Amino acid sequence: MKHLRIGALLSAILVVAAACTGTPAKSSTTLVVALPGDIVRTDSMLTDDSNSSYVIQQVVEGLVGLAPGSTSEIVPVLATALPTVSKDGLTYTFKLREGVKFHDGTDFNAAAVVYNYERFRTVPDALQEYSYYTGAVFGGFGDASNLESATAVDDYTVKIKLRTVSSNFVLTQTLPVFGIQSPTALALGLADNSETDITKITGAQGGAGAMVGTGPFKFSSWVEGDSVEIVRNDTYWNTAAIAKLEAVIFKPVAEETQRVNGLADGTYDLVQVIAPADVATIAANTGLQAIDRGSSFNIFCLQMNQTYAPVSNPMIREAIAYAIDKESLIQTFYAGAADVAKNWMPMNVQYALDLELPTYDPAKAMELIAASGETDLTIDFWYPNDVTRPYMPDPKGLFEAISAQLEAVGFTVVAHDAKWRSGYLDQEAAGAYEMWLLGWTGDWAGPDNFLSTAFFHYVDGKPSPEFAYKNDKLDATMAAALAATSDAQAKKLWEKAQNLIRADLPTVPIANSKPQAGASIDVKGFVGSAGLNEYLNLVYLDRTGN
Amino acid sequence: MARYIIRRLLAAIPVLLGLSLVLFAYIRLLPGDPCVAILGQHRTVESCAKLREHLGLDLPLWQQYVNYLTQTLSGDFGNSVINALPFTQEFTVRFPGTLELTIGALIFAIGAGIPLGRLAARRVGGWADGLITGISLFGVSIPVFVLGLALAVIFGVALGWLPTQGRIDAHFRFDSITGFLLIDTLLAGRPDYFVDAVRHLILPSIALGSIPLAIITRITRASVIEVANEDYVRTARAKGLAGKKVDQRHVMRNAWLPVTTVIGLQVGSLLGGAVLTETVFVWNGVGRWVVDAIENHDYPIIQSTILVFAAFFLIVNLLVDIGYAFLNPRIRY
């Protein structure tokens, strides 16, 4: 009993002492970044989530990339220049940088590039579900892949041949998924397509051979659910861009409030995405800064399925578009950090036109309803009740505001809600909803990624059940635009596609939100990008103010 | 004693088997499946069907259960359907965090609960008794996440006294050898880091330990009052034995038994409470992991974690029962 008391006393003293003692000064060479979630895998090819990509792009580089701060300006990275294209539009020739080494000391050369592209082409069946972008960009795998071959012309020249012309090829190669990794490391990590059981591929699971690229940072460790650490590559080939930080630690923090609280108390130096509602809190704190990423790379829409009346009637859809006060939604729910949508894609995407979509005019909406001949104006309207998305910061609030605006012009809204992962996405995709809230964050800044991939693609030659939007001419135009051999031809066809969609107004685009980053005032040199292609080797910490 | 332990271990088998069946059925009854969590907005009907087939979710339920049971009995607890990492690997990484938090909460609950209970028993009916009983009632009533958030807001955000997220300042870089940060920081020769880890442990431990604290306080109080009225205690006092000695040798020695039982039972509630506490304090432990797994319909992780927790709970209770024999020599198994 005596010992117990002494123990309790000592513990109490320790706790009080600990509580009263300050912690050591914050490191000025280690940056702690809060991400919305943990990474999923450490192999760029076997990854399709934004958290993994955000980390991987600091470590693994591709032949081409995006200029800092841009979503569409393509710059050569491991290639010395943008590729030359053959007259038939099928063969791309890349000249490679010399003297570059992977983090494991392996030489970067044409053989390494060919090895990686062969890997993209021949993803084994059992791994294809983990490699969404490889399949989506090349249209399949093996013989079904649009990637016909990659061949080394000499040690530093590679030819990549496609089966059919694809006008988005170079743009898609900026995705972190198509980063070039060390062939030695890929073989070591069983990530060379020889092993088909993903659980044994250590390269994808943070073990041997994981994330070995040529970038300004090297992968150091991944503690699942807790942190990913990358450290400076002191021998980075681009000596002008050697990282100023010694290390970057990424922490997964799902709750928006916790991210902002952690920023305020110094737990994190940089929070990748903050909620619009927190921007004012951060701006009011002199130790913090909200970082505007300049433009938007997403679209939020009021979605409709044409299987159901009255939204099957084009005049009703037009009336709905006039009934919605987009400006007031942006002021109320996005704290002003969004643009009124002018298209089904953000305006920084290739060939985007201002489609002069209907603006708020309730009188016009009522006229259209009267002229439509529809008498039953009841609409079943759904929203997700357990998530927020970067393009949809408050689904319930947005739902209520839009419902009120629709009811003001004469519609009767029947409210429904569902859980995002347990019904909502499944049901809307299956065509079970008449009207619902949903948007899209871009993968690459090509019109195909928004107009086709996200929304109006056909499935097996028929309209997707999601929207039941039938327009064969649009489908053919989008296919022709993807196969265009010149930029002028692609532009003309994509503009035609946009006008076709505008004429039908299958859904109502509402806003392009601009999710901001939050950072300590010590963080300098950060260049935000709407597409989150943000390079942390440019960042440094100036703690002198503290 | 050995026969008793073997009998108890054998009795645990049907309990765990029954639990595995109930768990399996319950988890499958939850709406949705892992497809949306894995493929998100990129999923198609075809890719979901392929994924379900790959994960074996297209098989009849009974067959899925048999597969799961066979796999588990052979020591393979499965892999996460989200990142494909093996359960054992992910559990091993996170369990030290949960254990450290649980121990912190137990130290708080026992360290404060027993003295408070004794004090209340000694002053039955007095203002100290009323205050302590009131506080323990409050402790039992308040949900862990509410208390956790309140502590974080008051002592972390508003006053800035203590950190409210994580197990240690993420800016600190050192090798983690055991996964127990209180040990690893000392092994790394960084007492300043150790202090920081203790600071991170304080608020979550108080939040998690609040309910056990209240229960231990009340049981100690009741038990001490009961024992203090026994004949042998009165005899000891009548013999002229000093009050302190009577307390230690006669009262507390006997009052320990129910208190020990309750402490054993509280380990279970601490593991359950860790789910909420870890989420509130961004604590990388098994509890927060399970929350994510439930959200993602990560069946193997949910099933295996709850099964391992149940086994842990059974073992702790067995240890408590064995502990009785040491506390009270009259008990023999």
Side-chain angles (χ1 to χ4, degrees):
Chain A
M1 188 55 70
K2 202 173 177 185
H3 295 299
L4 197 70
R5 266 194 208 161
I6 293 170
L9 188 68
L10 282 177
S11 305
I13 290 169
L14 183 71
V15 166
V16 172
C20 299
T21 316
T23 46
K26 286 262 180 288
S27 159
S28 57
T29 52
T30 300
L31 181 83
V32 180
V33 182
L35 295 178
D38 198 8
I39 66 167
V40 176
R41 270 177 281 282
T42 51
D43 178 347
S44 44
M45 190 191 81
L46 297 173
T47 294
D48 62 8
D49 67 293
S50 60
N51 296 316
S52 303
S53 295
Y54 198 77
V55 175
I56 288 171
Q57 68 187 346
Q58 316 298 336
V59 177
V60 179
E61 297 172 310
L63 297 177
V64 288
L66 292 169
S70 168
T71 53
S72 56
E73 187 194 337
I74 307 169
V75 291
V77 181
L78 289 175
T80 55
L82 295 183
T84 55
V85 191
S86 63
K87 273 190 182 163
D88 60 5
L90 292 174
T91 307
Y92 291 76
T93 305
F94 290 90
K95 287 274 182 197
L96 309 180
R97 286 189 194 280
E98 298 184 25
V100 177
K101 281 190 186 295
F102 289 102
H103 300 149
D104 63 354
T106 304
D107 287 329
F108 166 77
N109 52 28
V113 175
V114 168
Y115 186 95
N116 275 269
Y117 272 84
E118 265 306 299
R119 182 175 178 244
F120 300 150
R121 194 178 67 79
T122 58
V123 179
D125 196 49
L127 297 181
Q128 289 170 9
E129 71 206 49
Y130 304 108
S131 191
Y132 164 79
Y133 286 109
T134 328
V137 166
F138 292 122
F141 300 92
D143 290 342
S145 171
N146 193 31
L147 179 61
E148 186 177 310
S149 63
T151 45
V153 177
D154 59 41
D155 276 358
Y156 292 99
T157 310
V158 168
K159 272 188 195 299
I160 293 176
K161 191 166 185 219
L162 304 180
R163 289 182 211 277
T164 59
V165 175
S166 176
S167 58
N168 67 5
F169 172 68
V170 182
L171 186 58
T172 57
Q173 297 312 292
T174 62
L175 288 174
V177 171
F178 298 107
I180 306 297
Q181 298 183 79
S182 158
T184 319
L186 289 171
L188 176 71
L190 303 178
D192 52 358
N193 290 352
S194 61
E195 176 59 66
T196 57
D197 180 352
I198 191 141
T199 64
K200 292 181 180 149
I201 301 175
T202 58
Q205 315 283 20
M211 230 192 274
V212 180
T214 56
F217 289 98
K218 299 190 280 190
F219 173 68
S220 171
S221 65
W222 173 29
V223 180
E224 300 96 58
D226 183 63
S227 60
V228 186
E229 181 180 276
I230 57 174
V231 295
R232 180 169 58 211
N233 172 14
D234 288 315
T235 57
Y236 185 41
W237 59 268
N238 185 357
T239 48
I242 287 183
K244 296 175 179 74
L245 299 162
E246 272 176 23
V248 181
I249 317 274
F250 297 92
K251 303 283 284 183
V253 189
E255 285 292 319
E256 287 165 339
T257 315
Q258 287 172 332
R259 293 203 288 269
V260 173
N261 286 345
L263 191 61
D265 71 16
T267 303
Y268 314 117
D269 301 304
L270 176 67
V271 172
Q272 191 208 47
V273 180
I274 54 172
D278 292 324
V279 173
T281 314
I282 287 175
N285 185 332
T286 51
L288 304 178
Q289 54 181 325
I291 301 174
D292 186 351
R293 291 189 160 96
S295 58
S296 169
F297 198 44
N298 60 45
I299 177 79
F300 171 55
C301 297
L302 177 65
Q303 312 286 20
M304 287 174 273
N305 186 311
Q306 296 182 26
T307 312
Y308 304 92
V311 300
S312 52
N313 185 325
M315 291 177 89
I316 289 291
R317 295 198 299 275
E318 195 86 9
I320 289 170
Y322 278 110
I324 296 170
D325 184 356
K326 298 169 188 172
E327 196 62 61
S328 81
L329 296 177
I330 287 171
Q331 290 310 321
T332 310
F333 298 102
Y334 296 83
D339 297 325
V340 169
K342 295 173 174 163
N343 198 316
W344 280 262
M345 52 191 180
M347 296 308 285
N348 54 7
V349 171
Q350 272 181 323
Y351 320 131
L353 297 172
D354 179 350
L355 294 173
E356 295 178 357
L357 297 169
T359 50
Y360 182 51
D361 187 345
K364 175 97 176 159
M366 285 190 266
E367 268 175 41
L368 282 162
I369 293 169
S372 71
E374 296 288 342
T375 48
D376 184 356
L377 296 177
T378 307
I379 297 176
D380 284 294
F381 186 6
W382 293 75
Y383 70 94
N385 59 19
D386 61 342
V387 291
T388 62
R389 310 299 294 164
Y391 51 76
M392 180 167 59
D394 177 4
K396 185 167 189 272
L398 282 160
F399 166 84
E400 286 167 352
I402 292 170
S403 295
Q405 290 168 6
L406 292 177
E407 292 192 329
V409 297
F411 290 103
T412 303
V413 172
V414 182
H416 302 276
D417 63 320
K419 288 196 180 299
W420 181 256
R421 287 179 172 176
S422 315
Y424 193 79
L425 285 181
D426 275 339
Q427 293 298 307
E428 65 85 15
Y433 295 169
E434 179 176 5
M435 178 183 278
W436 70 104
L437 300 178
L438 196 66
W440 183 262
T441 298
D443 297 318
W444 60 87
D448 55 314
N449 187 244
F450 285 86
L451 304 185
S452 176
T453 315
F455 301 130
F456 309 122
H457 56 275
Y458 270 27
V459 179
D460 298 330
K462 286 183 287 195
S464 81
E466 188 174 17
F467 303 102
Y469 169 40
K470 184 172 165 56
N471 187 333
D472 296 343
K473 204 169 166 187
L474 170 68
D475 189 52
T477 307
M478 291 200 291
L482 265 180
T485 51
S486 73
D487 190 53
Q489 196 189 1
K491 183 172 185 288
K492 195 176 149 196
L493 288 163
W494 280 118
E495 286 180 355
K496 183 180 169 190
Q498 291 170 67
N499 285 317
L500 285 169
I501 299 171
R502 166 64 191 95
D504 292 336
L505 203 77
T507 65
V508 180
I510 294 176
N512 303 115
S513 78
K514 295 188 268 192
Q516 301 194 22
S520 149
I521 203 79
D522 304 342
V523 174
K524 314 279 184 197
F526 178 82
V527 181
S529 155
L532 297 182
N533 46 299
E534 292 163 347
Y535 310 113
L536 300 176
N537 56 322
L538 308 172
V539 172
Y540 61 98
L541 288 162
D542 178 3
R543 303 274 195 210
T544 51
N546 293 329
Chain B
M1 176 72 91
R3 281 183 63 189
Y4 172 75
I5 294 173
I6 291 167
R7 208 169 60 233
R8 283 284 298 267
L9 289 175
L10 288 174
I13 294 172
V15 173
L16 290 174
L17 269 177
L19 179 69
S20 75
L21 184 64
V22 172
L23 254 179
F24 183 87
Y26 180 75
I27 291 167
R28 294 307 192 283
L29 285 175
L30 295 174
D33 72 17
C35 181
V36 176
I38 296 170
L39 301 175
Q41 278 182 255
H42 287 132
R43 89 239 165 281
T44 60
V45 176
E46 296 77 28
S47 62
C48 273
K50 195 174 162 192
L51 184 69
R52 284 187 191 113
E53 189 187 331
H54 177 68
L55 297 174
L57 299 175
D58 58 333
L59 299 171
L61 273 184
W62 67 266
Q63 204 172 333
Q64 286 185 46
Y65 179 69
V66 170
N67 289 350
Y68 156 68
L69 205 58
T70 322
Q71 207 184 350
T72 308
L73 289 175
S74 67
D76 177 0
F77 286 87
N79 293 66
S80 160
V81 299
I82 302 300
N83 60 17
L85 291 169
F87 167 82
T88 36
Q89 180 186 325
E90 291 216 70
F91 186 83
T92 316
V93 166
R94 289 169 167 90
F95 193 56
T98 300
L99 207 55
E100 217 164 57
L101 176 60
T102 310
I103 292 170
L106 262 184
I107 289 174
F108 168 68
I110 298 171
I114 291 176
L116 284 175
R118 286 179 71 179
L119 182 66
R122 246 185 258 144
R123 310 260 193 281
V124 180
W127 67 268
D129 182 30
L131 186 70
I132 291 168
T133 311
I135 289 173
S136 67
L137 190 67
F138 179 75
V140 176
S141 319
I142 193 164
V144 171
F145 70 93
V146 173
L147 182 64
L149 283 172
L151 288 172
V153 169
I154 297 167
F155 295 102
V157 180
L159 297 171
W161 289 357
L162 287 165
T164 60
Q165 296 191 36
R167 295 175 62 197
I168 195 165
D169 189 328
H171 292 87
F172 300 164
R173 296 172 60 215
F174 60 98
D175 288 331
S176 178
I177 298 163
T178 64
F180 294 93
L181 293 186
L182 295 182
I183 297 172
D184 288 341
T185 48
L186 293 175
L187 289 178
R190 295 302 302 249
D192 48 344
Y193 289 7
F194 172 80
V195 170
D196 188 68
V198 172
R199 283 165 53 84
H200 277 79
L201 191 57
I202 295 172
L203 292 181
S205 296
I206 294 174
L208 182 58
S210 64
I211 293 178
L213 164 73
I215 294 171
I216 290 170
T217 304
R218 290 171 74 89
I219 294 292
T220 307
R221 177 184 174 275
S223 182
V224 169
I225 291 171
E226 191 188 329
V227 176
N229 289 326
E230 293 287 344
D231 291 344
Y232 57 84
V233 174
R234 262 202 302 275
T235 309
R237 288 197 204 282
K239 270 197 317 190
L241 216 59
K244 224 174 181 181
K245 274 193 176 159
V246 175
D247 260 10
Q248 283 174 9
R249 288 196 188 158
H250 298 281
V251 180
M252 280 319 290
R253 191 84 198 255
N254 289 292
W256 267 115
L257 279 179
V259 176
T260 313
T261 311
V262 164
I263 291 172
L265 289 171
Q266 287 311 305
V267 172
S269 82
L270 282 174
L271 292 174
V275 171
L276 298 168
T277 314
E278 288 177 5
T279 305
V280 170
F281 291 96
V282 198
W283 192 268
N284 189 35
V286 179
R288 188 164 157 237
W289 184 42
V290 161
V291 172
D292 290 343
I294 292 170
E295 192 112 310
N296 293 331
H297 292 88
D298 200 342
Y299 300 145
I301 301 299
I302 308 171
Q303 282 161 188
S304 298
T305 309
I306 297 179
L307 214 54
V308 169
F309 270 18
F312 187 75
F313 184 65
L314 291 173
I315 289 167
V316 168
N317 277 284
L318 176 60
L319 290 176
V320 168
D321 287 350
I322 295 168
Y324 285 164
F326 292 98
L327 285 172
N328 188 343
R330 282 172 299 182
I331 296 176
R332 287 280 172 269
Y333 295 114

